[in-house]
Amino acid sequence: MELVMENSRFRVVVEMLGAEIASIWDKSAGRELLWQGDPAVWPHRAPLLFPVCGPLLDDRFEAEGQQYQMPPGGFALRMRHKLVCCDQNLICLRLESTPETEAIYPCKFAVKTTYALKENRVSSRMKVLNYDKKEMYFRCGFTTAFQCLDGGEGYQVRLEQPEVLTLLERDKSGFLTRGSRMWEPEGGVIPLSAKELDNGVIFKEPTSQYFQLEQGEGGRTIRLHLRGAPYAYLRAAPVDGPRQFLSMGSWHGVPDFADSPADWSQKESVIPLGAMEEYYTHQTIIIDP
């Protein structure tokens, strides 16, 4: 089922399956801003990540001596969320633990996702609630893929300010190594053709609080505000041939290290949440700021 927010300039569609933004249609330009999920390249558009960001080592973790399987990106993007409310400017959805989720993630929880449209801004907010009597551990975040026209020719990503970024290195399977390197994009600008974007790049604690996708000189700009997220993610695809989209992520957590322990509570970058506590994440997309 599709839910719609709309104003004089934009029409935003959210799907209950995965609580995913499915479309941001610009009425004035008559064009779609989001990547539309070609399975041959990448099937998603704006997946909601919970309770992991990226893959776990061997797609599994251990909790209280038991082994559990977990798909990359978690299960929230694969499940139907319940509708809380929907009007012209606001959509709210909720995912609650079930026997099905507890079979792969032994916690009692709720994830409440709220989207808001105001003028040229699309805000995304996630609230994680721990309804269990024990501490729960998770990672979470948003990834949004923006469509690129003309094979990405002339597109670039501009940081809020020029800076030296900390790039977390990963192996061929996508797991973090213990290495990192410093990268200072010239003038705070990353061309979409940059090789670093081929397989996705994760930045740790960037100083810039937004990354801005720009379509050539004087063209369309889309700004993603991280809102304090400790990690930023960028990926341009496909690797071979013209770029069709750029994924931009605001992450509260990262994939496993190649030598991560199996115990969920001992993994790095997991968020510990006490019984009956809440955790908030937030990002904002601003179109032509």
Side-chain angles (χ1 to χ4, degrees):
M1 179 178 176
E2 292 186 341
L3 308 169
V4 178
M5 300 183 293
E6 193 165 9
N7 60 21
S8 61
R9 228 186 122 184
F10 298 100
R11 184 177 187 268
V12 179
V13 177
V14 176
E15 289 190 350
M16 294 178 69
L17 179 62
E20 178 182 33
I21 300 178
S23 170
I24 302 177
W25 180 262
D26 185 338
K27 297 179 181 180
S28 60
R31 58 164 288 200
E32 176 61 55
L33 301 185
L34 283 193
W35 165 251
Q36 288 301 290
D38 181 354
V41 182
W42 192 60
H44 305 291
R45 290 158 294 186
L48 185 74
L49 306 180
F50 176 87
V52 295
C53 296
L56 293 179
L57 193 63
D58 299 323
D59 291 332
R60 68 179 62 194
F61 68 95
E62 183 178 299
E64 299 178 341
Q66 297 292 318
Q67 294 282 336
Y68 297 90
Q69 294 289 129
M70 178 66 65
F75 51 76
L77 62 87
R78 297 169 170 88
M79 297 186 69
R80 184 181 176 86
H81 296 230
K82 297 178 181 179
L83 177 61
V84 176
C85 65
C86 177
D87 62 29
Q88 191 173 2
N89 305 114
L90 186 76
I91 294 171
C92 184
L93 297 162
R94 184 181 178 95
L95 179 67
E96 296 181 346
S97 53
T98 64
E100 179 186 1
T101 64
E102 289 181 32
I104 59 173
Y105 181 64
C107 301
K108 298 184 186 302
F109 69 89
V111 175
K112 184 178 179 182
T113 310
T114 303
Y115 297 107
L117 173 64
K118 183 177 181 181
E119 297 175 345
N120 62 335
R121 298 170 178 248
V122 180
S123 296
S124 308
R125 185 182 296 270
M126 186 193 314
K127 179 169 71 172
V128 180
L129 304 95
N130 180 8
Y131 285 142
D132 222 322
K133 295 180 181 179
K134 61 187 179 183
E135 196 166 53
M136 64 180 274
Y137 301 90
F138 64 95
R139 299 165 178 154
C140 64
F142 298 97
T143 301
T144 311
F146 297 100
Q147 188 168 226
C148 297
L149 304 178
D150 304 320
E153 187 69 29
Y155 280 78
Q156 61 187 21
V157 179
R158 184 180 301 276
L159 311 181
E160 178 189 17
Q161 57 187 337
E163 63 174 288
V164 179
L165 296 163
T166 301
L167 186 156
L168 302 182
E169 295 184 338
R170 295 191 288 166
D171 63 20
K172 293 181 179 180
S173 299
F175 298 110
L176 295 176
T177 69
R178 295 291 166 180
S180 65
R181 64 183 177 90
M182 310 311 289
W183 183 34
E184 186 175 9
E186 186 175 353
V189 173
I190 305 170
L192 216 66
S193 58
K195 289 296 183 183
E196 285 83 356
L197 303 184
D198 283 356
N199 297 307
V201 61
I202 302 171
F203 304 114
K204 181 179 180 181
E205 298 176 348
T207 301
S208 294
Q209 277 305 292
Y210 68 73
F211 286 52
Q212 180 168 286
L213 176 63
E214 300 176 346
Q215 182 186 354
E217 187 69 28
R220 159 66 37 83
T221 63
I222 299 175
R223 183 178 293 178
L224 180 76
H225 281 262
L226 303 173
R227 300 299 185 198
Y231 303 96
Y233 173 79
L234 295 177
R235 174 180 172 240
V239 173
D240 299 318
R243 304 295 204 188
Q244 296 182 31
F245 69 88
L246 175 76
S247 287
M248 305 175 76
S250 56
W251 288 5
H252 293 243
V254 290
D256 266 359
F257 283 87
D259 59 354
S260 286
D263 190 331
W264 193 213
S265 66
Q266 301 302 310
K267 291 182 181 291
E268 297 177 67
S269 85
V270 294
I271 300 165
L273 190 64
M276 305 309 295
E277 291 185 350
E278 302 174 349
Y279 186 86
Y280 293 87
T281 66
H282 183 202
Q283 76 168 23
T284 305
I285 299 165
I286 304 178
I287 302 156
D288 291 334

